[in-house]
Structure formats: C-alpha cells, structure tokens
C-alpha cells in the first residue's frame, strides 16, 4: 500500500494537483482535523520498503451511517477535496461508491444546516473516485492481482520452505493454515508453488468421502519414499455441506487414520506483514500513477472505476461491476454452486485449480492414455530460479498425457554425449522450491555437435523436444529448425520456455527467473540504503546483471526507488550524467539522505561503474559521499519466488499440452512416425500482454537484435518515465499505454477442459 500512496502523491504533485493524506481510513475522514494533512514530496520518501500503510487504516462503523458520511463530506469540502483515491478491499470501495452517489445530497444538507456556503455546492458539485484493490486474499473480481497478494505469498512460501526441512528430518506431516476466509487463492497458489499433497479451499469443497481419499494419497506418497507431507488449508475451508474443515480436524484425521506424526502451523497475521515484494511495489507504483491519470480524466458521468492489471497491462474497470461480481461469488458459494463460484473468480483462479489437479494427483497406470511418444526435456543457458518448477510440471503433465518422458543433463553438450535417461513422476517430487537447474545446464549451442545430437535423437527415438532456457535456448531452436533440411530427426514438435534472469528473450514480456532476480536486487538495495541511515548523506552506485538488457536495472530501479538507472537501450552521455548528479545534489541539500543509482553491466563500455562512482564522488564533494556495489551472481541464485514457481509451472503445463496436440497432428500412421517440419511446429511460448502465445521462432528472428542478444522492442521501456517522475524529474509521460475503461468480462465455461492459461 505504501508504494501506491507514494506513487499517488508524487504523480499528483507532478500533474500540479494538491495532494492530501487522510490518516486512519474513513475514521479519519469522519473525524477530520489533524487526520487530513497536505502531503509533500518528501513526506513519502523512504517508505517503499515499509510494509503495512504509513497513513494508517481503520474499520469505521460511523462511515456506514448517514451522519458519518455527512461529517466526512463537510471535512472534504473544507479542504476543497473532490477527488478520492481509495486503496482497500471491496468493503472500502463499496463505501466510497455510496459516498459518491450521495455527494450532492450531502452538500445540500450541509448548506441547509448552515455549515457550508451555498456557492460551495456549485464549486464542489461532483466527487470523483478511483479505487485500487489492496487485499492479501486476491478476492476481488476483475483484477489478476491485488496489491499485497504477492507479498503474502512470499511470507507463506518462506514458511513452507523452512517447515519442509524440519518435516523432512522428522518424517512429519504438516498441516498449514493460511488466510482466506472466503477466498482460497493464497491456499491454492501456495499449494501449487510448494507442491503440497492436498489443498482445501472454500470455493471447491472436496467430494464426500474425501477423508479416505486424502489419507490414501498421503500414504501412497510415503510408500514411494517421500519423507514428508504438506497439507494446506484455507481458514474458510468447508465441506460439501458447508461444515468448516479446520486444520486441527485435518490433523486428528491423519493421526487417527495413518498414525503419522502430524503438526499444525497457523500462519495468521505473519502473512499481512513484512517487506513488500518487488512485484507488489511495481504493481502498486503502476496502479498509483494510473489512478491519478484516471482521476484527471473522470467527468461527472463516468462511473467510479478501479485500476488494475490484466496480464501485464493496466486496465480500468467499473467499480460496481467488480463489486457485484465479487458478491456473486459469495452467493454462488452460499448456494453450493461451486463450479460456478470457481468460474466467477476468473480465468487465473480457474487455471490455477486445473494445473494443481493435473500435477498433484497421479492417475493410476491403468487410467493413463497410451501414446507411445517419447518427449525429452532439457535446460539451456545460464541457470534461472524456477527452471526446476517448469521441468517438474512438464514431466508430470507429459506422464499424465501418456508419454514417456526423458531428461537430458547438461544441455546440448550432454545431449551429444548421450546423457539422456527416462524420468518418472516421483523423480521430480520437491523440485518446485529448488533454485538453479537440477538437470544441469550449459550455454553450448547445438550446431557444434549437430550430427551427434541427431544420432542420439534416433537412438532414443525422441519424438518431441521441450527446452527451458534463455537467449541460448532461442538460438538453439533456430539452429535445430535450420538443421531440419539435413536431418529428419529434427522434424518433430519443438517448444521453448523462456527462463533467464535477464528477461531478454524475444516473444515474451516476462521470463522465468526474472522475478526472483528482481527480488534479490530490491532486497539488497533496501539493505544498502539502510546501511546509510543515520550517517551523512550518501549515494550508492549499484551494478546489476542482464547482459545488454536493461530490464533488471530499470524495473529494479522502479521497485527500489532509484534516482537513475543507466541502461544500454537508452543511450546516455556526459550531459545526462551531469544532470543526474546536479539533480541529486539539489535533492540532497533539501530533503533526502540517501540516493540510489543503478547501472546495467553493459550499459556503456566507457562509462563504467567505476567511472560513474568516481564522477559522483568528485561532483558530490561537500554534499554527499558515494559508495559502489556490484551485485554479481547473487542475482542468479536463491530459492525461486512464488511468481516464478507458478509462472514456470503454468507455462510448462500449457507447453506440454501443445506438444501432445502437435504429436497427434503430425503422426503419420502409414509410416508409423512423427513428421513435423512447418514453422508452427517449432515455437516459443511467451506471455504477451494478456495472453500466453505460441510463436514460431522463425517469425521472431526479425524482432531480435542478435549482436546484443535483446528483443528490438521492449515493453518495460515505457515504465522508465515512471521511475523518473517518482524520482522528481521533469519528464514527459506517455499516456497512450494507460488503461481504458472496459467492462468486466465473465469467464465463460470453455469447451476444452485441459486448457491452462495464466
């Protein structure tokens, strides 16, 4: 929420508005007085890394009464406030909308009571409202992610990872209770992200007789040699008859039925606290700026709207449509129409559920389709967190579809040496939370060993290939596609999933691993900034990885509150450096104590990190001193973030389903073999704005700068002006990409049940 508050204040000041804080939520609006204060630029500095909200929040009974709202209206008019930006859940937003509808009536009453002048009614005739959804439950319809959800997932996953080590040692079963009274999003996504054995959520109560089924599943995993079980329960979990399923009930059941040593952990308010994740800071900053733009564009006739993200794009949605749909979900649950409730929750929720079912529950051999196809999976390029989650997902989905799955060690180098072995369902258990690449990965491209690789393909009769990797994986696929002319072995369906911390692969907005790296950068920047607290004024120059791609430096800069980020894509010269130094000196003299400057490792061969450090040291003499830091390989390591685990899991499941479809389409019955040589049988699966799309790699060639290994057009460059505005630069902001008002789209039941989208 603080990132959103900061963005609203700074964007508001940037467009020349007067911005006020209302402390303690609606209570502060009703009480007025000291609770309504004008905000300044400095009043929101160094709050990005603070959890909770610095302006306070409170539930307010009085605002629910007409008298309360009358007092609130009086207080707003006294300050001349007619635009409200509300950050909260559906209750807060519904209240805001009611307030807006009553506004002119309230003003008339105030005139009658002699509390305001008659001309004030004309002057403040309309109240404009924009909402941002801040809720860790992610229970608001129409929005993919609410502010706070990703951070709550971070807390849950940290706990689960820590519990897994103790459970492993003692051979225990753990029942974890997570928040979500009416919404199972946190439970479902954390179950997906840690590969839990069982999950219980309010939207989809288990079938009658679930107790036995669950115990069978737990004992089956134990008998395969697993030493632990994890069961995740949402606090609002119920059975088909609406009876609550509590964590202690689940524990007693496991003890009674299986006699396993079982413990309960209730996470409680831990989930609401802590430092916000990089994703949440960027989401909130983007939404805050978007909210101010939406307020500037509202007229008396436009409905109140909420700003939100759909996929990777800002959207504006009518507030009441979202609220009504959110209430419909609850109604569907109350009336036991559970399928309907899941569908109303939206695309993302429904697909999380489908993917979880696909991966968690192994079908007995007898029920598996028999495909007789062999599919190989390998990692190429530098390791990225989340690769293992993608491999696990691919292997399990492949097995469910009846294929024989093969794992290749050490990329194409291992392939040429025949390091290929069949891999089974249980072999990938517990892989989701592991960083790096468990299969082993190399940067070697296939062209070097093409004949040997073709030989191995034939030897193991590989009918399809799934590559998880970065820019090298993209180049590899192009080479294999070109090798089809000489080697028929490569005339098979091939697909790649982008996995690299640099996020420099064409054809996708995001890559597996980039979110984890961003979190590492942001966390380190927070610490580095804190190290200067209490000392004299200081500027830190920090070098990030990313090759020639400035994604980590730019987006990391936005999330950490940097003053500047130097990247290759936006050429800079000595005049820019001078302007930055002067700008910082100016800020340091007036208000702030610490400055942060990020530099991408290859942004400029002459203006090195040392050069910039020395320049700042010299020019800042007497005002601030400088320090430099090269972050290095810590950006590549670490346990994958919840986002990367899920992104990897979901796109990988979707890719395997595509592979199956292509295998069936390209199988020649007369010859008894697979033969695919069209462009569309060699694809990259990427996230483009709102959808996951399969794109033939040949068609992505023109969109790529091969010398610098980056896409020619990159969406995140549009976020750069945002960072500059939030750092007090006078710059132009392109509003063409801002959200347009749309209607909430109902999620229609799809024909094909197996589709997995984001």
């Amino acid at each position: 929420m603080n990132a959103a508050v900061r963005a609203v204040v700074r964007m508001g000041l940037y467009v020349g508005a007067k911005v006020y804080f209302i402390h303690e939520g609606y209570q502060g609006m009703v009480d007025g007085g000291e609770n309504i204060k004008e905000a300044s630029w400095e009043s929101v500095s160094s709050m990005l890394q603070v959890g909770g909200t610095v302006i306070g929040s409170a539930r307010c009974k009085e605002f629910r009464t007409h008298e309360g709202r009358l007092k609130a209206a009086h207080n707003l008019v006294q300050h001349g406030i007619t635009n409200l930006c509300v950050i909260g859940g559906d209750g807060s937003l519904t209240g805001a909308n009611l307030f807006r509808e009553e506004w002119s009536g309230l003003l008339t009453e105030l005139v009658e009571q002699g509390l305001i002048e008659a001309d004030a009614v004309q002057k403040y005739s309309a109240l404009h409202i924009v909402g941002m959804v801040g809720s860790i439950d992610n229970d608001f319809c129409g929005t993919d992610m609410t502010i706070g959800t990703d951070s709550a997932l971070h807390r849950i996953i940290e706990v689960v990872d820590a519990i897994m080590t103790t459970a492993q040692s003692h051979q225990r079963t753990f029942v974890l209770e997570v928040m979500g009274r009416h919404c199972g999003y946190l439970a479902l996504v954390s179950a997906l992200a840690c590969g839990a054995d069982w999950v219980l959520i309010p939207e989809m109560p288990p079938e009658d007789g679930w107790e036995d089924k669950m115990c069978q599943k737990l004992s089956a995993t134990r008998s395969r040699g697993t030493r632990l079980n994890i069961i995740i329960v949402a606090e609002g979990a119920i059975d088909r008859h609406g009876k609550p399923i509590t964590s202690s009930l689940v524990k007693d059941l496991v003890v009674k039925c299986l006699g396993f040593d079982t413990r309960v952990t209730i996470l409680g308010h831990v989930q609401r606290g802590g430092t916000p994740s990089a994703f949440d800071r960027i989401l909130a900053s983007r939404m805050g700026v978007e909210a101010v733009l939406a307020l500037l564009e509202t007229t008396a006739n436009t409905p109140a709207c909420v700003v939100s993200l759909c996929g990777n794009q800002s959207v504006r949605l009518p507030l009441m449509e979202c609220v009504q749909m959110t209430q419909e979900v609850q109604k569907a649950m109350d009336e036991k129409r559970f399928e309907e409730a899941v569908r109303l929750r939206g695309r993302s929720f429904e697909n999380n559920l489908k993917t979880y079912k696909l991966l968690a529950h192994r079908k007995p051999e007898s029920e598996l389709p028999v495909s007789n196809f062999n599919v190989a999976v390998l990692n190429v390029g530098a390791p990225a967190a989340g690769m293992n989650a993608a491999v696990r997902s691919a292997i399990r989905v492949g097995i469910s579809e009846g294929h024989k799955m093969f794992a290749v060690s050490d990329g194409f180098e291992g392939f040429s040496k025949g390091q290929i072995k069949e891999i089974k369902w249980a072999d990938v258990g517990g892989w989701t939370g592991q960083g790096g690449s468990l299969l082993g990965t190399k940067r070697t491209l296939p062209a070097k060993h093409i004949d040997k690789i073709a030989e191995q393909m034939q030897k193991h009769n590989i009918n399809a290939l799934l590559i998880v990797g970065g820019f090298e994986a993209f180049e590899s696929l192009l080479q294999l596609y070109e090798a089809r002319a000489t080697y028929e072995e490569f005339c098979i369906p091939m697909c790649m999933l982008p996995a690299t911390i640099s996020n420099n692969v064409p054809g996708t907005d995001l890559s597996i691993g980039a979110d984890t790296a961003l979190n590492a950068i942001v966390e380190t920047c927070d610490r580095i900034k804190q190290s200067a607290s209490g000392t004299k004024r200081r500027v830190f120059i920090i070098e990030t990885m990313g090759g020639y791609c400035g994604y980590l430096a730019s987006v990391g800069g936005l999330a950490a509150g940097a003053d500047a980020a130097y990247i290759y894509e936006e050429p800079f010269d000595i005049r820019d450096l001078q302007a930055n130094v002067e700008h910082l000196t100016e800020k340091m003299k007036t208000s702030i104590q610490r400055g942060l400057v990020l530099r991408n490792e290859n942004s400029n061969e002459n203006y090195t990190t040392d050069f910039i450090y020395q320049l700042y040291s010299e020019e800042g003499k007497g005002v601030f001193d400088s320090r430099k830091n090269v972050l290095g390989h810590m950006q590549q390591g670490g346990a994958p973030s919840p986002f990367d685990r899920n992104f990897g899991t979901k796109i990988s499941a979707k890719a395997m389903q595509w592979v199956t479809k292509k295998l069936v389409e390209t199988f020649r019955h007369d010859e008894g073999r697979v033969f695919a040589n069209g462009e569309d049988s060699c694809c990259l699966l990427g996230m483009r704005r709102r959808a996951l799309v399969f794109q033939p790699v040949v068609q992505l060639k023109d969109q790529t700068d091969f010398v610098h290994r980056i896409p020619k057009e990159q969406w995140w460059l549009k976020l750069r002006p945002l960072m500059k505005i939030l750092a007090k630069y006078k710059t132009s902001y392109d509003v063409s990409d801002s959200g347009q008002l749309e209607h909430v789209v109902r999620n229609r039941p799809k024909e094909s049940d197996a589709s997995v989208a984001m």
Side-chain angles (χ1 to χ4, degrees), residues 28 39 90 100 163 204 398 403 412 437 503 628 646 648 706 745:
D90 55 347
R100 187 186 81 112
I163 276 179
M204 206 60 205
H403 310 316
F412 284 107
S437 158
N503 197 23
K628 70 170 197 286
N646 274 7
F706 284 95
V745 186

Side-chain angles (χ1 to χ4, degrees), residues 725-753:
I725 288 169
L726 296 177
K728 214 174 183 174
Y729 281 92
K730 302 276 180 280
T731 177
S732 60
Y733 185 66
D734 170 20
V735 282
S736 66
D737 201 47
S738 67
Q740 301 304 311
L741 192 65
E742 319 178 359
H743 290 290
V744 178
V745 186
R746 300 248 153 173
N747 198 23
R748 299 267 169 264
K750 294 213 183 71
E751 293 76 48
S752 81
D753 185 64

Side-chain angles (χ1 to χ4, degrees), residues 232-471:
I232 293 183
V233 186
E235 61 179 328
I238 48 172
D239 65 14
R240 290 268 152 180
H241 312 289
K243 210 172 96 227
I245 300 176
T246 62
S247 40
S248 51
L249 181 114
V250 176
K251 176 199 154 167
D252 296 342
L253 213 144
V254 175
V255 172
K256 193 179 108 209
C257 183
L258 299 168
F260 289 168
D261 185 358
T262 308
R263 297 280 191 276
V264 173
T265 300
I266 297 174
L267 296 189
H269 282 78
V270 167
Q271 296 160 81
R272 285 193 189 280
T275 313
S277 65
F279 182 93
D280 266 334
R281 298 183 198 193
I282 292 150
L283 171 70
S285 301
R286 284 173 74 178
M287 296 303 94
V289 168
E290 188 67 32
V292 173
L293 296 174
L295 279 173
L296 293 179
E297 291 166 27
T298 41
T299 61
N301 314 327
T302 46
C305 74
V306 286
V307 291
S308 139
L309 262 199
C310 177
N312 193 22
Q313 191 174 3
S314 304
V315 291
R316 298 177 192 171
L317 301 161
L319 189 146
M320 284 326 283
E321 280 185 28
C322 296
V323 168
Q324 274 152 6
M325 198 147 142
T326 306
Q327 289 163 350
E328 271 179 54
V329 179
Q330 195 50 51
K331 198 168 161 240
M333 281 157 62
D334 293 342
E335 293 170 7
K336 303 199 172 33
R337 301 196 314 275
F338 297 114
E339 303 282 335
E340 176 83 354
V342 168
R343 214 177 66 240
L344 286 168
R345 273 274 180 246
R347 215 175 44 161
S348 155
F349 189 89
E350 197 174 14
N351 295 314
N352 280 325
L353 192 57
K354 277 182 190 157
T355 313
Y356 176 76
K357 285 180 176 168
L358 258 178
L359 297 172
H361 302 297
R362 182 185 185 177
K363 291 184 190 143
E365 299 282 330
S366 55
E367 286 176 34
L368 289 177
V370 179
S371 75
N372 295 325
F373 291 125
N374 295 345
V375 182
V377 183
L378 72 160
N379 291 153
V380 178
M387 275 183 162
N388 299 322
V391 171
R392 165 187 179 262
S393 172
I395 282 160
R396 291 200 167 176
V397 174
I399 292 172
S400 307
E401 312 241 304
H403 310 316
K404 228 178 180 179
M405 299 300 295
F406 288 84
V408 182
S409 307
D410 299 336
F412 284 107
E413 203 169 298
F415 210 136
S416 65
K417 295 179 185 159
Q419 297 172 1
I420 306 167
K421 58 175 200 304
E422 192 184 342
I423 188 161
K424 296 276 203 250
W425 184 281
D427 296 337
V428 289
W431 275 32
T432 359
Q434 307 267 352
S437 158
L438 291 168
L439 287 181
T441 179
K442 286 263 185 355
R443 290 176 185 264
T444 320
L445 297 178
K448 225 168 122 185
H449 312 287
I450 200 85
D451 46 343
K452 287 222 175 82
I453 294 169
E455 201 179 295
Q456 292 294 339
M457 297 276 283
Q458 196 179 358
K459 183 179 161 190
H460 292 276
N461 187 20
I462 302 296
N463 309 117
L465 207 51
L466 182 69
I467 304 174
V468 182
F471 200 85

